[in-house]
Amino acid sequence: MRTKLALICGVAALAGAGSPAAANDVRDAVTQDMPELMDLYRDLHANPELSFQEVETAAKLAKRARDLGFEVTEGVGKTGVVAVMRNGEGPVVMLRADMDGLPLVEKTGLPFASKRTAVPASGVETGVMHACGHDTHMTAWIGTAQVLAESKDQWQGTLVMILQPAEEIGEGALAMLEDGLYERFPKPDYVLGFHDAAQFPAGMIGYSPGYALANVDSVDITVPGIGGHGAYPHTTKDPVVLASAIVMKLQTLVSRESSPLDPAVVTVGSFRAGYKHNIISDEAKLQLTVRSYSDESRQLLLDGIKRIVKGEAIAAGMPDEKMPTVTVQVPYTPSTYNTPEFTEEVMAGLKSRFGDDRVMQVPSVMGGEDFGQFYRADPENVESLIFWVGGVPADDFAKAQAGEMELPSLHSPFWAPDAEKVIATASEAMIAATLDIMAPQTGG
Ligand SMILES: [Zn+2]
Ligand SMILES: [Zn+2]
């Protein structure tokens, strides 16, 4: 509660001051750092590492944080980094960037495109690319750390800056928490992060109060059958027909069981069975992605999947020992919740800094992010916000608006954001938001 009041006072103080000078100070400091930050960005972009393999990346950035005066601990949650700067009484603010690249061969044609290869968990060597823009996140993290380290007279409290591994496989945030992030280091009152966005123009800030990203569950269904000759179906139990019935019936979960006002997705992304035209297979396998926001709707969907699978198998006359199995992968990626009041307070500050045309409320998405874990670890006491920073180069955005170009999405081998805009905007926004929250308390 105390910190909440401190925040409101901090925002009020800043808004009251109107402080254009302070606004320009932050922007000027970032602008000055940009040439060097872009060198770092190009280096990170050319040298991506896969989830939980972010060894060089972590070492490089840990050294820089140490040079800035942070107490730095490496190897938190395998390859994670925690950098702490204590600066008197006040709130604990945690700023997070994620570090991992994706198993993709880069096709941007940029002069600093990645030529790296690596071996992911699948065991098959692949190209590696920062196709989700985590390189912009890390560069802005350093940009933020530099300015905050240089302006300790303007904030009070404890700054905890973390570099999280393995966001792409949804495990890194949990790995850091399970390795004692909230016990071994100061536990945050406020958690902030951003993600670059491939649907917004470069330099735009988008935010969604409340649920911003979805629960993501991966579900595997194995449907046994009794195989045989395709010409004698009556002597078999055909798993293709049964699995097809399951796929169709699953469509009713969203259309008939979950509330029309509560977003939900059940997608069967993979359906595999059979060998040949005239053989009835003895097995079918389905792979689903299941998306929701609340714990309740997640449970409704997962329970519904199990019930439908069992019900359809019974209806098909499957014997008890050949019932299909449903496996829900653990850990899952929980939804990301932006605590509404905190979100509005931070965004009010950013709107006055960047203007209403650059800071906009945008619809939530059904994509996933494990950033939500930091809030879920202590929802009573943690205020949390992740926002979007648009990355689409202005020319491309105009062409797309005119229908002359299809924009690449995140995770595309062609995703080449206007990194300079993303990094400058995100650094300024992060610094400004942190200074708001950690504003020194004068008087009562
Ligand atoms: Zn991603
Ligand atoms: Zn990402």
Side-chain angles (χ1 to χ4, degrees), residues 206-248:
Y207 68 98
S208 309
Y211 289 112
L213 294 115
N215 290 312
V216 180
D217 279 287
S218 297
V219 179
D220 289 272
I221 304 175
T222 301
V223 182
I226 298 172
H229 199 298
Y232 312 108
H234 56 292
T235 65
T236 71
K237 292 287 181 197
D238 187 345
V240 171
V241 174
L242 171 52
S244 300
I246 291 170
V247 171
M248 293 312 291

Side-chain angles (χ1 to χ4, degrees), residues 292-303:
S292 55
Y293 285 130
S294 67
D295 288 351
E296 297 72 38
S297 56
R298 170 175 182 260
Q299 207 53 53
L300 179 138
L301 295 174
L302 296 178
D303 290 348

Side-chain angles (χ1 to χ4, degrees), residues 116-181:
R116 283 235 174 177
T117 60
V119 181
S122 70
V124 182
E125 188 175 44
T126 162
V128 189
M129 175 186 174
H130 269 302
C132 204
H134 298 183
D135 45 358
T136 62
H137 305 177
M138 292 184 279
T139 310
W141 186 92
I142 287 288
T144 303
Q146 285 177 177
V147 173
L148 289 174
E150 286 159 9
S151 54
K152 285 175 83 173
D153 56 325
Q154 288 176 48
W155 58 274
Q156 231 174 276
T158 301
L159 187 59
V160 180
M161 298 198 58
I162 67 164
L163 292 166
Q164 184 209 301
E167 187 282 325
E168 295 295 354
I169 57 170
E171 293 181 19
L174 200 59
M176 292 189 82
L177 286 162
E178 285 177 346
D179 199 8
L181 180 63

Side-chain angles (χ1 to χ4, degrees), residues 17-142:
S19 75
N24 291 341
D25 281 353
V26 173
R27 189 162 298 168
D28 291 350
V30 172
T31 306
Q32 210 168 30
D33 288 348
M34 277 312 292
E36 190 257 334
L37 288 174
M38 287 306 291
D39 285 344
L40 172 64
Y41 167 73
R42 286 185 283 266
D43 175 36
L44 292 170
H45 188 87
N47 296 293
E49 293 174 294
L50 291 174
S51 306
F52 284 134
Q53 299 180 12
E54 311 91 335
V55 178
E56 284 175 32
T57 307
K60 201 179 288 178
L61 299 179
K63 181 186 180 309
R64 293 182 64 129
R66 212 169 266 127
D67 290 347
L68 290 169
F70 285 83
E71 304 156 32
V72 178
T73 309
E74 293 174 68
V76 181
K78 296 189 187 166
T79 45
V81 177
V82 180
V84 179
M85 187 171 280
R86 294 169 211 269
N87 192 22
E89 278 287 302
V92 179
V93 177
M94 187 171 98
L95 307 182
R96 171 267 208 175
D98 40 10
M99 296 189 286
D100 48 338
L102 285 158
L104 269 181
V105 177
E106 177 161 356
K107 294 179 181 163
T108 59
L110 291 168
F112 51 92
S114 163
K115 294 181 185 70
R116 283 235 174 177
T117 60
V119 181
S122 70
V124 182
E125 188 175 44
T126 162
V128 189
M129 175 186 174
H130 269 302
C132 204
H134 298 183
D135 45 358
T136 62
H137 305 177
M138 292 184 279
T139 310
W141 186 92
I142 287 288

